[in-house]
Every structure is written in structure tokens, then in C-alpha cells.
Amino acid sequence: MTRHFHIAAAAIALASSFAVHAAGPAVVNGPGENPGCFKPWDAKTKYFQWPAKKGPYRIALANGFVGNTWRIQMIKMAKAYAATPEMKSQIKEFKIVSTGTDVAAQIAAMDNFINSGYDAIVTLAVNPAAFAPVIRRANAAGIVVVPFDNVLDTDQVMMVNEDQHRIGTLSGEWLTNNLKGKSGKLLEVRGLAGNSVDRDRHDGFRTVVEAPGNKFEVVEVVGNWDDGTAQKAVADAVSVHKKFDGMFVQAGSTGAVRALIDAKHPMIPVAGADENGFRKLCVANAKDGLLCASIGQSPGLVAISMKAAISALQGKVMPQMISVPIPQVSHPNFKAGENYYPDLTDNFFTANEFPACDVTLTAKDIMSKDEKNN
């Protein structure tokens, strides 16, 4: 009887161990690893812990859309960060695939990484709600998945992001504070349709400009977070509507402002992203009335996500949702060589250093890489 009991107990323990593994990381008590870098989203954030694995590791980046400069710089930064001494010693293989805007193609790429035995996948999800099945398959295989930037509508996976809704509200607050009244026509240049970032920034912006007492008319166009697309969309909007009192651009801000300049539109307050070209235009045209707030979503999120994935693989306790500070600067605080760079390309995104995470890549480090799949 005793022998049978021990055999049964061992079987139950084995089944229990498998169930925990199949369900993904264990939910544990905090605090977590390196809170200066991996800051919990809020006081309600739970903590995860995966079984420790011995490195070095096989890491994949499953990107979707690659048709704008932010995504290109993000991929370059991922390659540059993987080549640093800290990461090079931890990464046995680093694979990047960009699949476009097709949800099924991105999920298929992730399934391929799962079936190929990768240890972790960092990803920018094309859609915030479609990835639950592939997350379950990754968890069952013991693979750490870290969505960042375009995150998922779930608390069952570790994610890294800035507060996208807050970026929208910050933009709306700055814009309304720099307008002459509580009415007028605003142009909202949205991002890539279907993404959580576009949705959350839009919702945050509208929360502010549609607050009681405001009577703004808001015209929406789609800029895909891309300078060329945003420039054409703004040019078309100006041609139809003639005059706007303010503008909010999720990204593609350089192109959006160029459209105003080309159309000889009066300079107005613009809340945009952190493109270097946008900040240069803000400085050059401030005397003519172009007032700017530049609120960034750093491509450096990919580096923090890679670092988080490796920490998780090492068995360290990690927040389920990691909060990255929102970099921002507004008129008249633009300073050459400090928060914009006259000698660098317009397409360079300016916020890439995170000292608390030991992520200190230079523009030269980043721009020396390419954006190709590898």
C-alpha cells in the first residue's frame, strides 16, 4: 500500500508539473527583477516566473508591418542590441521575420518559431485580440513570448510598452492648452488600422478633445505612422477642408508638417511623435507660429523586450506588464544635440537610450544595421 501510494503521489506530482508547464509561467509574488528597468505597470500588476533554462538562447523577433521608418529603426536596433557584449554572450541565434499586415502570416511565423524550438519570441502583434491560441501553444512548449508596442488584450503573457492611452491624452491636453479656445477644427492623423497602439492613442486623444465644454470638430485621416502616407493624407485634408486650428499625428509627423508647409497653411500647434525631422521642422518654423509637442514611442522598446525575455528564461521574477517611461519634449525646450540632431537623418527616432536598462546604443550603432529578414 505504501509503495503504491508513493507511485501514485509521484504520478500526481509529475502531472501537476506538466500542467504548470503547459499553462505557461507561474504567477508568483513580487518584487520582480531589476525594477528600475522592468517597472511594473501599476500596483495591480501580477508577476510571472518561468522555469530557468541554461543559455545561450535562440531568440526570434516576429514583426508584422515594416513599411515605416519606426519599424525599420526598431529592427536595426534589435540587430544592434543583439550584437552588444551583454546580449551576444546570451544569444546563440537571433532570427528576424517581418510578415506584413496579415494576421495569419504573423501567427504562422510564430508557430514556425515554436515548432523550431526557439526559446523566446518578441513580437509586435498585428491585431490585439487574435493571438490567444498561438500564445497557448508557446506556453505549452515552454517558450517565452514578449509582445511590445502593439500589445495584446490579455494579462496571460508578459508585455512591454509605454502607456499608449496616456500618449493620446498627453497629446490632447497639450494641443487644447495651446489653442485659443474650446472650439475649432482639428486634424487627427491616425496610425495603422487594427493595431492596439492606434486604437489606444485615438481613444486617449478623443477623451480629452471631446470632454464636456469642448466643441471641436475632428477630421480623421490615416497616415500608417509613415511620413509619405501622412504627408499625402494631410495634403488631401487641407485641400478639402482649407484650414485647421491644430493637428495630432501619431507618427509620420515630419511628412504631416511638410504638407502644411507645402500648402502654405498657417502654422498651428502640432502634437506629434519623436521623429528627428519633425523636431527640426519645429525649431526652424517656431518663429512662424509652429508650436510643437513631440511625444515619443521609442523603437528601443525592442531592446527592453529582448532583455526581459532573457531575464525570464533565466528564471527571474518578472512583471506581467512592464512600463517604459514616455519620452516627451515641447516648445520651447528643443535643444540641438540633446533631444534633436541637426546632422542626422529626418527619419531617425530620437529616444533610444535607457540607462536604467543598460541600453545605450548610439545612432551610429543603430543605423549601421539593415532591416532585412535574417
Side-chain angles (χ1 to χ4, degrees), residues 212-342:
N214 290 337
K215 297 180 180 179
F216 296 107
E217 177 188 352
V218 183
V219 175
E220 282 187 30
V221 297
V222 175
N224 286 348
W225 302 320
D226 172 66
D227 277 330
T229 307
Q231 185 166 351
K232 184 179 186 307
V234 172
D236 290 346
V238 170
S239 177
V240 172
H241 295 274
K242 307 305 178 188
K243 186 177 182 299
F244 292 97
D245 299 289
M247 181 166 66
F248 165 47
V249 191
Q250 289 196 16
S253 316
T254 310
V257 171
R258 281 182 180 144
L260 296 180
I261 295 170
D262 290 346
K264 296 182 171 51
H265 189 285
M267 292 293 96
I268 55 177
V270 177
D274 63 332
E275 301 101 327
N276 193 49
F278 172 55
R279 293 186 176 184
K280 288 194 286 186
L281 287 173
C282 291
V283 172
N285 293 279
K287 64 183 182 302
D288 298 320
L290 178 62
L291 302 181
C292 301
S294 178
I295 302 172
Q297 170 84 336
S298 173
L301 288 173
V302 68
I304 298 173
S305 302
M306 292 163 64
K307 189 180 184 81
I310 286 175
S311 293
L313 288 167
Q314 293 170 338
K316 295 173 181 176
V317 174
M318 302 295 293
Q320 180 269 318
M321 188 70 183
I322 296 170
S323 175
V324 178
I326 298 171
Q328 56 185 303
V329 63
S330 59
H331 177 86
N333 298 315
F334 296 102
K335 297 180 180 178
E338 182 176 319
N339 51 40
Y340 80 98
Y341 304 91

Side-chain angles (χ1 to χ4, degrees), residues 36-321:
C37 176
F38 306 128
K39 180 183 176 182
W41 194 261
D42 56 31
K44 297 179 181 179
T45 301
K46 60 185 177 182
Y47 292 86
F48 285 159
Q49 187 172 31
W50 284 260
K53 284 186 178 181
K54 185 178 180 181
Y57 308 104
R58 299 175 71 204
I59 309 294
L61 168 58
N63 181 48
F65 184 67
V66 74
N68 61 42
T69 54
W70 193 97
R71 293 296 183 103
I72 290 169
Q73 186 172 324
M74 179 274 296
I75 292 171
K76 291 181 177 184
M77 187 156 188
K79 290 183 176 182
Y81 188 55
T84 63
E86 176 193 9
M87 288 293 106
K88 197 169 184 179
S89 64
Q90 297 291 340
I91 296 177
K92 178 166 57 177
E93 180 183 353
F94 184 50
K95 180 75 172 179
I96 297 174
V97 171
S98 296
T99 56
T101 58
D102 187 333
V103 174
Q106 190 176 33
I107 290 173
M110 293 177 69
D111 274 326
N112 185 55
F113 289 134
I114 292 167
N115 296 333
S116 299
Y118 278 75
D119 297 298
I121 304 168
V122 295
T123 184
L124 293 83
V126 170
N127 180 285
F131 285 76
V134 75
I135 295 297
R136 287 195 293 270
R137 291 191 289 272
N139 283 341
I143 296 168
V144 176
V145 177
V146 188
F148 68 98
D149 184 47
N150 291 322
V151 294
L152 307 179
D153 291 337
T154 178
D155 64 354
Q156 300 303 305
V157 64
M158 180 171 65
M159 298 190 285
V160 175
N161 209 4
E162 296 172 17
D163 187 335
Q164 302 302 319
H165 189 273
R166 182 60 179 148
I167 289 177
T169 60
L170 284 170
S171 300
E173 289 165 0
W174 181 89
L175 197 57
T176 54
N177 288 338
N178 283 274
L179 295 172
K180 293 179 180 178
K182 294 182 177 294
S183 64
K185 187 176 287 188
L186 306 179
L187 180 58
E188 179 185 4
V189 185
R190 297 191 60 170
L192 193 65
N195 282 264
S196 62
V197 169
D198 172 70
R199 175 199 64 196
D200 294 349
R201 291 188 188 184
H202 165 75
D203 289 347
F205 177 70
R206 288 304 187 97
T207 297
V208 174
V209 300
E210 294 175 350
N214 290 337
K215 297 180 180 179
F216 296 107
E217 177 188 352
V218 183
V219 175
E220 282 187 30
V221 297
V222 175
N224 286 348
W225 302 320
D226 172 66
D227 277 330
T229 307
Q231 185 166 351
K232 184 179 186 307
V234 172
D236 290 346
V238 170
S239 177
V240 172
H241 295 274
K242 307 305 178 188
K243 186 177 182 299
F244 292 97
D245 299 289
M247 181 166 66
F248 165 47
V249 191
Q250 289 196 16
S253 316
T254 310
V257 171
R258 281 182 180 144
L260 296 180
I261 295 170
D262 290 346
K264 296 182 171 51
H265 189 285
M267 292 293 96
I268 55 177
V270 177
D274 63 332
E275 301 101 327
N276 193 49
F278 172 55
R279 293 186 176 184
K280 288 194 286 186
L281 287 173
C282 291
V283 172
N285 293 279
K287 64 183 182 302
D288 298 320
L290 178 62
L291 302 181
C292 301
S294 178
I295 302 172
Q297 170 84 336
S298 173
L301 288 173
V302 68
I304 298 173
S305 302
M306 292 163 64
K307 189 180 184 81
I310 286 175
S311 293
L313 288 167
Q314 293 170 338
K316 295 173 181 176
V317 174
M318 302 295 293
Q320 180 269 318
M321 188 70 183

Side-chain angles (χ1 to χ4, degrees), residues 73 76-77 80 348 352 361-369:
Q73 186 172 324
K76 291 181 177 184
M77 187 156 188
F348 185 73
N352 295 293
L361 295 171
T362 67
K364 183 178 179 180
D365 294 331
I366 297 165
M367 301 310 284
S368 66
K369 305 299 180 182

